[in-house]
Amino acid sequence: MRIDLHTHSLESDGTQTPRDVVLSARQAGLDVVALTDHDTTGGWEQALATAREIGIGFVPGIEISCEIDHRSLHLLGYLINPADTGLAQELTKARDSRESRAHRMVERLSADTGLQWADVEKRVTAGATIGRPHIADALVDIGRVCDRAEAFDKYLHPGTKYHVGHYAVDPVRGVELVLAAGGVPVLAHPFSHVTGRVVADSTVEAMVEAGLIGIEVDHRDQGEQARAHAEQFARRYGLIRTGSSDYHGAGKPNLLGENTTAPDQFEQLVARATGATQVFLP
C-alpha cells in the first residue's frame, strides 16, 4: 500500500479542491490519502465522497498551528471528532486570528506593492482558512512577484516589516485537545531547517509526556540528519513514524506520494484513535 498522510486543499492553502486532491492522489498511484488542511475540517465531506466514488482510502485529518517560545510548529490530528467543543473553539480562534492577521499584513503591503484586500479575496474559497499563501498568490496576480516562493522570500517571511503574527495554541495543549477529541496527534516535520521551524528537543519531550502518538519522519524539508533525529525520538518513545508529501497542489513543489507511511505504522495509527471518526478503506 502507498499511503500519504499530509495534504492540503483550497479549504486552507492548497490550490485544488478536496475532490481534486483525492483524484490526484489516485492518479499518483496512492492507495490511501489524508486531507489535513490548516485549522479546518471543511474539506472532509467532499474528499470522502470522492474517495468512495473512485475507490481510494481516505483519512480525515487536520493540521493545527501551534507556538511555543515564539517558535511555530504544526501538529497533525487524525480521526478527530470535529464537533468536540474544546478543539472546535481553539480552531475557530485560530482561523479568526489568521484572518485578522492577513488584513493587517495587506495593510502593511499596500503602500509598497499596491496590494488590496480585494486581490486576496479573489484567491480565497468561501469558508477557507486564510493564510500567507493566499497573500502570496495575490501578489503574483498583481505582478509583484513571479511565484509563491518569491513572495515569501521578499515580503512574507517573519523577518520582513510586513509580517504579523497570529494566535496559535501551545503544542502540549494541542496534543491534549486532539486526544480529547478522540484523535491521534502526530508532530509534523519537527526538524525542518528549510522552513526555519526546528522544534526544540525539550518541546518534543513535553509533547510526548502529554500523549503525542506519532512523529513525521520522512518529509522533503527534513534532510538525512533531521530524519535520523526524528527516528531516534520514534524509537526512544515508541512513536508511530509517518512519511508524507505535505502536498499543496501548484502552491509548492511537493509531489503526492514522494514520501509515504509504511502500512504497519498506518495500522497502528488507526488503532490508536478512540473516537467515532473512521478511516474509509474501499
Side-chain angles (χ1 to χ4, degrees), residues 138-146:
L139 287 167
V140 173
D141 291 342
I142 66 172
R144 299 299 304 192
V145 294
C146 294

Side-chain angles (χ1 to χ4, degrees), residues 113-186:
T113 67
L115 184 69
Q116 302 297 318
W117 183 249
D119 300 318
V120 178
E121 285 185 311
K122 294 175 184 177
R123 278 293 185 166
V124 182
T125 303
T129 301
I130 299 175
R132 287 180 297 165
H134 298 109
I135 300 175
D137 291 341
L139 287 167
V140 173
D141 291 342
I142 66 172
R144 299 299 304 192
V145 294
C146 294
D147 53 29
R148 277 189 181 183
E150 184 182 356
F152 273 85
D153 288 343
K154 193 171 182 180
Y155 296 111
L156 303 178
H157 68 81
T160 70
K161 65 180 181 180
Y162 310 107
H163 187 267
V164 176
H166 66 89
Y167 171 77
V169 68
D170 177 88
V172 167
R173 177 62 177 151
V175 170
E176 294 170 346
L177 286 167
V178 171
L179 291 172
V184 182
V186 175

